[in-house]
Amino acid sequence: WEGLEGAELGQAFRFFPEVDSTQNAARRWFDDGAPHGAVVLAERQTAGRGRMGRQWVSPPGTGLWMSVILTDGLRLADVHALSLMAGLAVAEALEAFGYRPGLKWPNDVLLAGKKVAGVLIEGQGELDRLYFAVVGIGLNVRLPEAFPPELRTIATALAEHGPPPPRRKLAAAILSALDRELRAYRAEGFGPLRERWLVRAVSLGREIAVETGGGRIVGRFAGLDDDGKLLVETAAGLRAIASGEVRL
Ligand code: BT5
């Protein structure tokens, strides 16, 4: 890797031409003794997944499908912040290559309003201790002919916004940014990270609707709280939302 000297991430990695999901491969490697910061990459995933059992379309040669194993220095309470950190790391990496990404809570990276990357955090732990977390990042580099037509209205790829850099450069830039975010988070907490996230947020200050397990919440997107929960100013007062789907 270029630019990962001295980083805690990316010191060990495995590449698969084809795998069910890099998340599963990471989990298997963790069970088999993967070190902190180990990275799994795949050319193609046959069962790439998003959150809540959704599918992540991962055709061969068209994207960066990557999972990072974290075993040190995190608690279960940090997983929301981790999801925001990973999205921010992707955004910062893309900016370094001249793209202008936006962030959509909790885990989407957008280019011109369409999703170019998504983040999936999976893990296992107890309240104040995390055994491991797997940070999954899917980034579309180009959309193949066979990309599902119904997803074309919401999805985009780097190639639609400028000549994409090689995937290994993208991976190294994302890992290096995530490495920085993790260090900053440990040293200073979520505060500085929140500011960096919010300057890239789409729809800040505007009306949004959020589908939560407990129903639909409509209001003004007011910011993020200290844990990375979404703050929405509703007619009934300020609400902090831990998980849900934002409609812009
Ligand atoms: C996500 O879920 O956005 C998390 C995606 C994480 C994928 C990575 S790839 C490496 C690692 N291994 C895995 O198996 N997963 C991770 P969510 O917010 O639930 O969004 C899923 C939704 O995005 C789907 O229901 C589709 O609507 C849409 N979608 C599916 N494939 C897409 C793609 N390639 N590009 C853009 N949108 C897509």
Side-chain angles (χ1 to χ4, degrees):
W1 302 104
E2 270 167 59
L4 280 179
E5 303 79 12
E8 56 185 85
L9 307 184
Q11 298 307 312
F13 82 97
R14 283 183 183 175
F15 171 80
F16 297 89
E18 180 179 303
V19 75
D20 50 352
S21 155
T22 55
Q23 296 291 100
N24 297 346
R27 177 60 213 254
R28 292 189 286 264
W29 192 8
F30 171 77
D31 290 336
D32 202 25
H36 174 72
V39 173
V40 175
L41 286 160
E43 185 71 16
R44 126 191 256 164
Q45 300 185 109
T46 53
R49 62 175 174 266
R51 293 175 302 147
M52 292 169 279
R54 289 190 284 248
Q55 192 201 359
W56 183 259
V57 178
S58 331
T62 60
L64 185 70
W65 323 128
M66 174 165 82
S67 295
V68 187
I69 303 170
L70 302 178
T71 62
D72 292 356
L74 288 169
R75 298 161 305 143
L76 208 52
D78 299 324
V79 296
H80 292 298
L82 189 56
S83 171
L84 298 171
M85 272 183 255
L88 180 59
V90 173
E92 289 175 334
L94 295 187
E95 285 165 9
F97 293 110
Y99 296 97
R100 287 281 155 263
L103 292 170
K104 181 181 161 216
W105 187 89
N107 68 327
D108 291 356
V109 183
L110 310 181
L111 282 177
K114 291 180 170 184
K115 183 160 172 165
V116 71
V119 169
L120 172 68
I121 311 287
E122 296 176 322
Q124 198 169 309
E126 285 160 11
L127 211 50
D128 58 353
R129 194 174 153 222
L130 191 67
Y131 298 124
F132 71 94
V134 180
V135 181
I137 294 172
L139 168 65
N140 299 320
V141 177
R142 39 183 71 79
L143 295 184
E145 290 283 312
F147 197 76
E150 69 279 10
L151 285 184
R152 281 186 186 269
T153 53
I154 58 157
T156 190
L158 294 182
E160 299 183 346
H161 305 270
R167 282 177 292 168
R168 74 187 143 71
K169 286 206 169 162
L170 284 166
I174 292 169
L175 290 169
S176 149
L178 184 58
D179 198 272
R180 266 199 326 272
E181 300 303 344
L182 280 166
R183 285 170 205 261
Y185 179 69
R186 286 201 200 104
E188 309 168 83
F190 186 62
L193 208 128
R194 167 172 49 200
E195 298 316 311
R196 286 207 300 284
W197 197 92
L198 282 173
V199 294
R200 296 171 172 86
V202 293
S203 297
L204 185 62
R206 294 213 290 270
E207 191 84 358
I208 57 170
V210 192
E211 309 290 346
T212 72
R216 187 183 169 93
I217 297 171
V218 178
R220 196 181 66 89
F221 174 16
L224 301 174
D225 78 359
D226 289 339
D227 304 318
K229 292 196 199 78
L230 184 72
L231 292 174
V232 180
E233 217 172 74
T234 72
L238 195 64
R239 298 277 306 268
I241 303 167
S243 68
E245 291 301 313
V246 177
R247 310 257 173 265
L248 302 176

